[in-house]
């Protein structure tokens, strides 16, 4: 039996979502843009899903644009807003150093088009440094991007304070809430655009959404048939969108029942065991508010890859949280931005819990990590 501690990477499909998708796959095959009754039925599924997403994100249904996932939603926001506003003389964007690659690499693409990209640093806890960010924003800033919570550390970002800075300069604010939505109420996020993804909360992969508030000017990054207010043309994914809405409804209900709390207690138990039973375990963002399911540590004297392979051999699925390129382990940009030295950053371990994680799994994982780290250190 696998102990699955990689919910921040993707989650198992919730059985209710799977049933819903099976039903939609069989029954709702019509093109939702056609005019006949089967099309109207498919369209109704999508419009109901739009309402569910709008409620969860504190917007209106006509502000929800369905996409192929979080990556596309981030790209649409960053590229779409920056390109549209460049025409009005807004020639720079400001992004937090801890952003996901979906935002960072979209910004990099803008750089090649002549947009100036300014990077706001993180503090040692992994929060965006507000004072530093404020000095980077000016009257030519098209967009600020600060995620709701970080995918590696789970650290919750000061989006409300950034929104004030954005408002003062007439800049749009994009917030990537892909990791936050499963855990925290995102209906109060005062961002101009908010990106979310279905597969992080028990829904299918390949479906996401971007909330685009009414006054936010942006241009599409894909061109075609005019669907989704022409901001995301293409025949809509009825099955995926219906599954996404079912998953969001379940996540909202779980929050209402305070289900994140016992998960947080399990996370804290795992953290306590690792810190007390091993030397040289550093919790990333442990002193600031974090998502309840995230535990990110750097461990002295081990490298992520060996640790993850050993854990995998014991049936424990976890993640290092950093990208691997050309076979060589690269330290995470998030950890480097927090001022963590490169060597320590290479010993990163992200354990991300979900609603199905049990107490026994926590104990077994702690036992295995302690044993494996001790063995790996002895080998050095
Ligand atoms: N943004 C964040 C913070 C994420 O964690 C992820 C997924 O890892 C994405 C964006 C990309 O979402 P998707 O996998 O739906 O493209």
């Amino acid at each position: 039996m696998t102990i699955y501690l990689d919910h921040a990477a993707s989650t198992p499909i919730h059985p209710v979502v799977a049933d819903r998708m099976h039903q939609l796959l069989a029954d709702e095959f019509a093109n939702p843009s056609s005019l006949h009754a089967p099309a109207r039925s498919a369209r109704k599924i999508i419009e109901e899903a739009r309402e569910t997403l709008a409620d969860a994100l504190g917007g209106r249904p006509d502000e929800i644009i369905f996409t192929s996932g979080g990556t596309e939603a981030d790209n649409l926001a960053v590229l779409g807003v920056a390109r549209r506003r460049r025409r009005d003389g807004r020639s720079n964007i400001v992004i937090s150093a801890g952003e996901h690659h979906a935002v960072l690499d979209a910004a990099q693409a803008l750089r090649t088009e002549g947009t100036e990209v300014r990077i706001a640093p993180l503090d040692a806890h992994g929060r965006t440094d507000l004072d530093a960010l404020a000095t980077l924003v000016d009257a030519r800033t098209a967009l600020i991007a600060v995620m709701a919570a970080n995918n590696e550390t789970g650290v919750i970002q000061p989006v409300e304070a950034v929104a004030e800075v954005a408002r003062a300069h007439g800049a749009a604010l994009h917030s990537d809430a892909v990791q936050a939505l499963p855990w925290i109420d995102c209906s109060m996020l005062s961002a101009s655009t908010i990106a979310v993804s279905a597969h992080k909360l028990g829904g299918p992969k390949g479906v996401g959404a971007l909330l685009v508030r009414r006054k936010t000017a942006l241009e599409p990054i894909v061109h075609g048939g005019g669907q989704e207010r022409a901001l995301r043309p293409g025949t809509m994914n009825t099955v995926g969108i219906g599954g996404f809405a079912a998953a969001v409804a379940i996540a909202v209900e779980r929050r209402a029942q305070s289900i994140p709390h016992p998960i947080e207690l399990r996370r804290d138990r795992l953290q306590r065991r690792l810190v007390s039973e091993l030397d040289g375990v550093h919790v990333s963002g442990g002193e600031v508010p974090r998502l309840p399911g995230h535990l990110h540590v750097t461990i002295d004297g081990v490298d992520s890859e060996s640790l993850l392979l050993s854990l995998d051999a014991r049936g424990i699925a976890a993640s290092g949280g950093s990208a691997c390129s050309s076979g060589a382990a690269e330290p995470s940009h998030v950890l480097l931005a927090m001022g963590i030295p490169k060597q320590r950053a290479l010993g990163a371990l992200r354990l991300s819990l979900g609603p199905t994680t049990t107490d026994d799994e926590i104990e077994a994982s702690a036992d295995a990590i302690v044993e494996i780290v001790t063995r790996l250190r002895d080998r050095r």
Side-chain angles (χ1 to χ4, degrees), residues 197-359:
S197 175
H199 74 101
K200 307 290 185 180
L201 38 60
K205 287 160 201 46
V207 191
L210 184 69
L211 176 124
V212 181
R213 292 203 202 279
R214 259 168 302 162
K215 287 185 191 137
T216 310
L218 82 171
E219 57 183 50
I221 55 172
V222 175
H223 302 274
Q227 293 92 338
E228 300 297 279
R229 291 173 31 215
L231 284 173
R232 205 291 185 168
T235 304
M236 279 96 89
N237 174 3
T238 314
V239 178
I241 290 170
F244 189 7
V248 169
I250 292 165
V252 169
E253 181 56 30
R254 276 188 186 137
R255 279 206 303 269
Q257 295 174 3
S258 301
I259 288 188
H261 185 58
I263 301 174
E264 184 168 14
L265 296 181
R266 286 189 191 106
R267 188 273 311 273
D268 291 347
R269 163 83 186 151
L270 182 55
Q271 176 174 321
R272 267 197 310 280
R273 280 205 56 191
L274 298 186
V275 170
S276 64
E277 294 176 32
L278 287 168
D279 293 331
V281 173
H282 313 271
V283 179
S284 316
E287 286 153 35
V288 294
R290 271 177 299 167
L291 296 177
H294 269 69
L295 173 57
H296 185 285
V297 291
T298 50
I299 306 179
D300 293 343
V302 295
D303 70 273
S304 296
E305 207 183 330
S306 311
L307 181 53
L308 292 172
L309 290 176
S310 301
L311 283 169
D312 184 40
R314 297 271 293 257
I316 300 170
S319 148
S322 65
C324 243
S325 61
S326 62
E330 289 292 328
S332 136
H333 66 279
V334 178
L335 302 185
L336 296 182
M338 290 167 70
I340 293 175
K342 183 174 172 188
Q343 197 51 42
R344 216 178 91 199
L346 288 172
L349 176 66
R350 181 184 70 183
L351 302 155
S352 49
L353 288 62
T356 50
T357 309
T358 64
D359 290 332

Side-chain angles (χ1 to χ4, degrees), residues 8-9 68-72 74 100 102 147 149-151 176 178-179 196-200 206-207:
S68 67
T71 299
E72 188 191 338
D74 279 331
H100 188 271
M147 66 206 319
N150 185 266
N151 45 299
D176 174 333
V178 168
Q179 293 288 336
V196 288
S197 175
H199 74 101
K200 307 290 185 180
V207 191

Side-chain angles (χ1 to χ4, degrees), residues 14 16 38 55 59-60 322:
H14 192 286
V16 169
D55 282 349
R60 295 179 0 156
S322 65

